[in-house]
């Protein structure tokens, strides 16, 4: 069916680009004898804070973005009976963290063009119980932060940004994660900066950062590195019931080198992104919207929405791409499609028509710095062939 020879190797969707630097740093960490939370994590926090242009005392590394969201919600004072508004077009972790914090997630529909939370839909969902908004910068495109900030201010709500896709994202020169009271980042294997598993919380002040650190390590007032360092044993005291969410030096060792390459990797993704935009311009699919002026797109996911006139269904397209040995993704089925949330909250797909429609026709194509030019050609020729009318 293809005009090109079939691929030998399966193109793994979201496979990270790991260099010798990362490998050597991990080995050196193992040889150092300090594997857990220690000097490398501190170094990684400092490097991340420098990238974001904030005080290193205001960031806290954790072991996932899910953990980052969970402790941020608690540190924001969210509790049972509170409502937290978020998008239906996100990974399940966004709402699971809200549920784990004891609150009730409330979905507001997306804008069908940007695929981000629609501030007008958010406004319609604000109730006397609403305490927070969790915007997700979908695919790396910044949400309409001025409108969301204005709503938050008017109704006295906390904003906790889910920046899992958005490390490089900016809106009007301001970096994602620095708008809300908390910004939560992911370093999962498929994300733009990788530590295997890992996350980061960015806070506005020292007190919030301190609370996050305590919550992320059993509720202890002091971490192991301080306790067991050569300055002498110090007792810790448990000041609340926390969680086991700390990042390891082994993970930070990877992240340090990933972070150093963040701009080079973004530039490479931008080249791929532009090639796709040009190559797919006339296919029966809605391509990612043009990046809004005065913003920086994180370019995390390249998602296309197949038109109803496309020659094959979305699921057939996924199967055909896989058969042609190209890994693809779906980001995401509308959260209201999942049985757990339907049963617990009575969510129905038809109540979120834009997210539901997007979730039923979206496909994410490979977009990563590891892709070779030949891989990109394979993706382009395969997609073009499948979708040609
Ligand atoms: C990946 C992801 C998360 C969860 O990140 P982990 O680090 O895997 O916990 C949360 N929200 C969104 C939007 C994500 O894509």
């Amino acid at each position: 069916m293809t005009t090109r020879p079939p691929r030998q190797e399966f193109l793994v969707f979201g496979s990270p680009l790991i260099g010798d630097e990362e490998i050597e740093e991990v080995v050196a960490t193992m040889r150092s004898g300090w594997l857990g939370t220690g000097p490398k994590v501190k170094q990684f926090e400092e490097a991340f804070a420098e990238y974001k242009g904030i005080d290193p005392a205001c960031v806290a590394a954790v072991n996932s973005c899910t953990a980052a969201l969970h402790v941020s919600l608690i540190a924001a004072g969210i509790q049972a009976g509170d409502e937290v508004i978020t998008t239906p077009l996100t990974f399940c972790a966004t709402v699971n963290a809200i549920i784990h914090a004891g609150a009730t997630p409330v979905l507001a529909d997306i804008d069908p063009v940007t695929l981000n939370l629609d501030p007008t839909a958010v406004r319609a969902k604000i109730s006397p119980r609403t305490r927070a908004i969790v915007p997700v910068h979908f695919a790396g495109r910044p949400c309409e932060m001025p409108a969301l900030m204005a709503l938050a201010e008017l109704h006295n709500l906390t904003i906790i940004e889910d920046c899992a896709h958005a490390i490089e994202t900016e809106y009007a020169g301001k970096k994602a994660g620095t708008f809300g009271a908390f910004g939560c980042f992911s370093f999962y294997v498929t994300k733009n900066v990788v530590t295997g598993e890992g996350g980061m919380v960015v806070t506005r002040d020292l007190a919030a950062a301190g609370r996050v650190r305590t919550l992320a390590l059993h509720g202890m007032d002091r971490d192991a590195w301080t306790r067991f360092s050569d300055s002498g044993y110090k007792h810790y005291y448990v000041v609340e019931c926390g969680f086991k969410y700390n990042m390891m030096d082994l993970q930070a060792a990877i992240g340090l080198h990933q972070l150093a390459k963040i701009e080079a990797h973004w530039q490479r993704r931008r080249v791929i992104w532009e090639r796709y935009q040009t190559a797919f311009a006339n296919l029966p699919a809605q391509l990612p919207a043009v990046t809004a002026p005065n913003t920086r797109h994180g370019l995390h996911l390249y998602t296309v929405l197949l038109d109803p006139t496309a020659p094959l269904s979305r699921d057939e397209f996924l199967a055909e791409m896989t058969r042609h040995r190209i890994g693809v993704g779906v980001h995401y089925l509308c959260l209201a499609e999942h049985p757990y949330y339907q049963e617990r909250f009575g969510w129905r797909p038809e109540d979120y028509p834009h997210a539901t429609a997007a979730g039923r026709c979206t496909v994410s194509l490979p977009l990563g710095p590891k892709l070779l030019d030949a891989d990109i050609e394979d993706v382009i020729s395969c997609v073009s062939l499948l979708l040609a009318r």
Side-chain angles (χ1 to χ4, degrees):
M1 188 178 177
T2 44
T3 50
R4 300 171 59 82
R7 289 183 60 86
Q8 297 295 313
E9 245 181 277
F10 186 72
L11 186 60
V12 177
F13 181 88
S15 179
L17 182 58
I18 302 293
D20 289 339
E21 304 84 2
E22 284 89 332
I23 293 166
E24 280 155 24
E25 192 82 41
V26 168
V27 172
T29 306
M30 295 189 77
R31 292 197 199 285
S32 80
W34 194 282
L35 276 58
T37 309
K40 290 271 154 68
V41 169
K42 187 157 189 289
Q43 216 184 319
F44 184 49
E45 286 176 339
E46 286 167 358
F48 196 80
E50 190 183 335
Y51 179 74
K52 286 286 169 188
I54 58 175
D55 181 350
C58 287
V59 306
V62 289
N63 60 9
S64 71
C65 182
T66 309
L69 289 163
H70 187 197
V71 291
S72 295
L73 285 154
I74 296 171
I78 303 302
Q79 48 194 349
D82 293 346
E83 291 178 359
V84 177
I85 299 176
T86 192
T87 167
L89 197 71
T90 183
F91 186 53
C92 57
T94 313
V95 293
N96 287 351
I98 295 169
I99 298 167
H100 286 313
T104 304
V106 172
L107 303 179
D109 207 358
I110 56 165
D111 177 298
V113 175
T114 66
L115 307 182
N116 270 329
L117 207 46
D118 176 358
T120 312
V122 172
R123 196 199 304 136
K125 291 299 182 91
I126 294 174
S127 84
R129 288 169 178 266
T130 310
R131 293 285 173 275
I133 306 172
V134 180
V136 178
H137 305 291
F138 181 81
R141 183 186 178 102
C143 290
E144 268 311 314
M145 291 317 293
L148 294 175
M149 300 288 288
L151 274 179
E153 185 143 349
L154 189 63
H155 299 273
N156 198 21
L157 312 175
T158 304
I159 290 193
I160 297 160
E161 298 172 68
D162 181 336
C163 301
H165 302 174
I167 302 176
E168 302 94 331
T169 299
E170 294 178 14
Y171 190 108
K174 196 167 161 66
K175 294 189 190 299
T178 68
F179 285 87
F182 298 89
C184 301
F185 294 84
S186 175
F187 310 121
Y188 178 64
V189 286
T190 58
K191 304 290 161 78
N192 291 354
V193 167
V194 166
T195 64
E197 300 284 0
M200 189 78 77
V201 182
V202 165
T203 66
R204 290 300 74 71
D205 58 60
L206 294 174
R211 181 88 195 280
V212 163
R213 282 176 198 283
T214 299
L215 280 166
L217 198 68
H218 306 294
M220 286 159 49
D221 63 352
R222 214 186 277 282
D223 62 39
W225 191 39
T226 333
R227 267 187 295 135
F228 297 119
S229 70
D230 54 11
S231 59
Y233 188 90
K234 295 185 188 68
H235 290 288
Y236 63 83
Y237 292 96
V238 176
V239 293
E240 64 181 313
C241 182
F243 304 90
K244 174 65 176 167
Y245 284 168
N246 54 307
M247 178 184 277
M248 298 171 75
D249 269 19
L250 273 177
Q251 296 165 306
I254 308 170
L256 277 168
H257 294 281
Q258 286 277 300
L259 196 54
K261 299 180 217 174
I262 189 168
E263 184 63 20
H265 287 179
W266 184 87
Q267 293 290 353
R268 176 61 179 162
R269 294 198 306 277
R270 188 167 69 144
V271 168
I272 301 167
W273 183 284
E274 293 304 333
R275 300 253 307 265
Y276 285 167
Q277 290 290 76
T278 308
F280 304 145
N282 296 317
L283 295 179
Q286 177 186 323
L287 305 185
V290 173
T291 302
N294 207 16
T295 68
R296 186 176 221 228
H297 197 302
L299 307 181
H300 175 56
L301 296 171
Y302 186 86
T303 64
V304 301
L305 307 178
L306 300 192
D307 286 347
T309 61
L312 68 185
S313 74
R314 191 274 304 275
D315 288 358
E316 288 165 349
F317 181 83
L318 295 172
E320 280 301 305
M321 290 294 284
T322 310
R323 199 171 68 78
H324 285 85
R325 309 193 62 69
I326 295 172
V328 279
V330 172
H331 302 89
Y332 301 88
L333 283 186
C334 174
L335 288 178
E337 303 263 23
H338 297 289
Y340 177 77
Y341 307 121
Q342 292 175 348
E343 284 157 29
R344 179 151 176 194
F345 303 113
W347 291 349
R348 298 177 309 173
E350 57 270 31
D351 293 336
Y352 314 96
H354 296 311
T356 296
R360 288 178 182 174
C361 67
T362 189
V363 179
S364 302
L365 300 176
L367 175 73
K370 197 178 182 178
L371 295 185
L372 306 173
D373 286 340
D375 297 329
I376 302 164
E377 290 310 317
D378 285 341
V379 175
I380 289 176
S381 62
C382 193
V383 170
S384 305
L385 237 125
L386 291 173
L387 293 185
R389 277 179 283 206

